Amino acid sequence: MPLPNEDQITEKLRAVIDPELRRSIVELGMVRSIEVKESGRVEVVVSLTTAGCPVRSHFEQAVAANVSQLEGVTEVAVGFDVLSDEEKGNLQQTLGRGKLPQGALAKVKNVICVSSGKGGVGKSTMTANLAAALNAEGHSAGALDCDVYGYSIPRMLGVNRKPEVNGERKILPLDSPSGVKVMSIGFFVEENSAVVWRGPMLHKAIQQFLEDVAWDELEYLLLDLPPGTGDVSMTLAQLLPQAKFVVVTTPQPAAQSVARRGAEMARKFDLEILGVIENMSGFTTPSGERFTIFGEGGGQLLADELDVPLLGKVPLSEPLREHADGGSPLAIAEPDAPASQAIRQAARGIIAATPQELPVLQATPAAAEAPPVSGTPLPVVQ
């Protein structure tokens, strides 16, 4: 049986993705060596960014699973070493990052940035309710408040205390009553105090929330971005090259045209836009009369322009505002309310647009051969 060559093995290793940097270990230059023995044993050495890398087992399993698919491979052995300081510097330069991750986001499957071009469109309300809805649908979710100047996620998710630090000196996110893990600058400042920071401080704070918080295993981490396309948005685009965007707008043309600028920023950094959510799409009175206070059709127009789906149209709702102020997301507190139904529909759209791990089907063992028929033969009547 012919043995695979180094090029064939390297090609298989392109499918092994660093779960935090979201790129192939081949592209990142993390494959130190490949050796093929005559017996069919393949030895691969992978270079880690840190000796205590929390996803070491992920690399070991993924390398073994992919390389063992090649014909002639009888065994796969995976070894590890650590990148030198010079190699780390080269990798930082390649990625355009000042610091390599230490594994804090390694177990987060999907990072979703909730953005808008302008303030006042209900972006934070959507973030809190989407995270709660995703969790209610059986998909673990977290919410990171990146709106440093206008933080409101803690109040909307009903949490407000100082986070603790674990033995590895990672900040532990707070668990909200709805099951969503939460982190915000609001946990570290005096209540209702203003944050007066310049751009470099914002960059450092966001980087710390991404790299020094123990998010652990999450299917979705939703980031509530500040309005516009400023420092925070560019920092996130730099730190999270595989993040996806959801754009929130109101129906009016002015909001829709400004929201498009935020989408254009995401596309300049080659970030995927999952879809558009239209908030405050209309108000229905108790008698059933409907008023389009903020106009109509802006969300669909924006979705068509961006060639992405309209994930949901959330009606203007007093209970939605009341529950946000009370720290109890409407999507959980009143799941049958029209606004809740629209938000849950948007959450299902996000789930459908993001990769899910499918269960591995076990091979069905071959049925045992039926035993021969035995017994006393019956007489045949002529």
Side-chain angles (χ1 to χ4, degrees), residues 50-135:
T50 176
C53 181
V55 286
R56 180 180 178 133
S57 61
H58 160 80
F59 289 128
E60 189 169 12
Q61 294 166 13
V63 168
N66 283 278
V67 175
S68 62
Q69 296 171 7
L70 290 168
E71 187 179 359
V73 175
T74 59
E75 183 185 359
V76 180
V78 186
F80 297 93
D81 66 6
V82 180
L83 293 170
S84 67
D85 290 340
E86 183 180 354
E87 289 169 330
K88 287 180 184 178
N90 292 337
L91 183 54
Q92 288 172 331
Q93 191 172 4
T94 300
L95 296 170
R97 299 179 65 155
K99 178 183 175 185
L100 291 176
Q102 299 294 318
L105 281 180
K107 298 179 183 177
V108 176
K109 294 179 184 174
N110 298 285
V111 179
I112 312 291
C113 297
V114 183
S115 70
S116 68
K118 63 192 297 295
V121 300
K123 177 175 41 57
S124 298
T125 303
M126 289 301 105
T127 302
N129 277 271
L130 282 171
L134 286 166
N135 199 68

Side-chain angles (χ1 to χ4, degrees), residues 257-309:
S257 62
V258 176
R260 185 173 60 242
R261 297 173 203 159
E264 287 172 357
M265 185 279 298
R267 286 193 164 164
K268 282 181 181 177
F269 286 95
D270 293 323
L271 299 174
E272 180 183 351
I273 300 170
L274 288 183
V276 173
I277 295 176
E278 181 183 276
N279 192 26
M280 309 179 195
S281 66
F283 174 71
T284 303
T285 66
S287 63
E289 192 174 1
R290 186 170 183 272
F291 294 91
T292 54
I293 297 172
F294 292 100
E296 190 144 31
Q300 187 64 63
L301 253 172
L302 180 59
D304 291 342
E305 286 182 13
L306 300 175
D307 194 24
V308 296

Side-chain angles (χ1 to χ4, degrees), residues 44-330:
V44 179
V45 176
V46 177
S47 297
L48 304 174
T49 56
T50 176
C53 181
V55 286
R56 180 180 178 133
S57 61
H58 160 80
F59 289 128
E60 189 169 12
Q61 294 166 13
V63 168
N66 283 278
V67 175
S68 62
Q69 296 171 7
L70 290 168
E71 187 179 359
V73 175
T74 59
E75 183 185 359
V76 180
V78 186
F80 297 93
D81 66 6
V82 180
L83 293 170
S84 67
D85 290 340
E86 183 180 354
E87 289 169 330
K88 287 180 184 178
N90 292 337
L91 183 54
Q92 288 172 331
Q93 191 172 4
T94 300
L95 296 170
R97 299 179 65 155
K99 178 183 175 185
L100 291 176
Q102 299 294 318
L105 281 180
K107 298 179 183 177
V108 176
K109 294 179 184 174
N110 298 285
V111 179
I112 312 291
C113 297
V114 183
S115 70
S116 68
K118 63 192 297 295
V121 300
K123 177 175 41 57
S124 298
T125 303
M126 289 301 105
T127 302
N129 277 271
L130 282 171
L134 286 166
N135 199 68
E137 292 285 329
H139 300 273
S140 55
L144 172 56
D145 196 345
C146 295
D147 192 351
V148 175
Y149 298 133
Y151 53 89
S152 54
I153 291 295
R155 177 171 188 161
M156 292 182 176
L157 286 171
V159 284
N160 187 22
R161 64 181 187 276
K162 299 287 184 186
E164 297 178 356
V165 177
N166 66 14
E168 298 174 352
R169 302 199 60 77
K170 296 287 186 184
I171 305 167
L172 297 174
L174 301 183
D175 291 314
S176 70
S178 59
V180 176
K181 291 184 179 294
V182 188
M183 183 51 59
S184 171
I185 190 65
F187 299 147
F188 301 94
V189 298
E190 293 298 323
E191 189 173 359
N192 294 324
S193 64
V195 177
V196 186
W197 286 354
R198 293 188 182 274
M201 294 181 70
L202 290 174
H203 179 96
K204 187 169 179 59
I206 297 301
Q207 185 169 352
Q208 186 167 12
F209 283 153
L210 293 173
E211 299 179 353
D212 293 335
V213 174
W215 291 108
D216 294 331
E217 292 190 11
L218 283 180
E219 290 189 63
Y220 294 94
L221 177 61
L222 272 63
L223 277 55
D224 179 27
L225 269 60
T229 57
D231 289 332
V232 171
S233 297
M234 288 188 289
T235 291
L236 290 168
Q238 181 184 18
L239 294 176
L240 300 169
Q242 297 299 317
K244 298 174 176 63
F245 272 63
V246 169
V247 182
V248 179
T249 185
T250 54
Q252 65 195 97
Q256 172 250 325
S257 62
V258 176
R260 185 173 60 242
R261 297 173 203 159
E264 287 172 357
M265 185 279 298
R267 286 193 164 164
K268 282 181 181 177
F269 286 95
D270 293 323
L271 299 174
E272 180 183 351
I273 300 170
L274 288 183
V276 173
I277 295 176
E278 181 183 276
N279 192 26
M280 309 179 195
S281 66
F283 174 71
T284 303
T285 66
S287 63
E289 192 174 1
R290 186 170 183 272
F291 294 91
T292 54
I293 297 172
F294 292 100
E296 190 144 31
Q300 187 64 63
L301 253 172
L302 180 59
D304 291 342
E305 286 182 13
L306 300 175
D307 194 24
V308 296
L310 178 63
L311 296 172
K313 296 176 66 174
V314 182
L316 190 63
S317 164
E318 187 174 7
L320 181 61
R321 190 270 306 163
E322 290 174 340
H323 280 278
D325 282 341
S328 171
L330 183 73

Side-chain angles (χ1 to χ4, degrees), residues 1 12 36 49 98 106 120 128 186 246 269 301 312 330 341 343 353 369 373:
M1 185 180 295
K12 282 294 182 184
V36 183
T49 56
V246 169
F269 286 95
L301 253 172
L330 183 73
Q341 289 293 309
I343 291 168
E369 187 177 346
V373 178

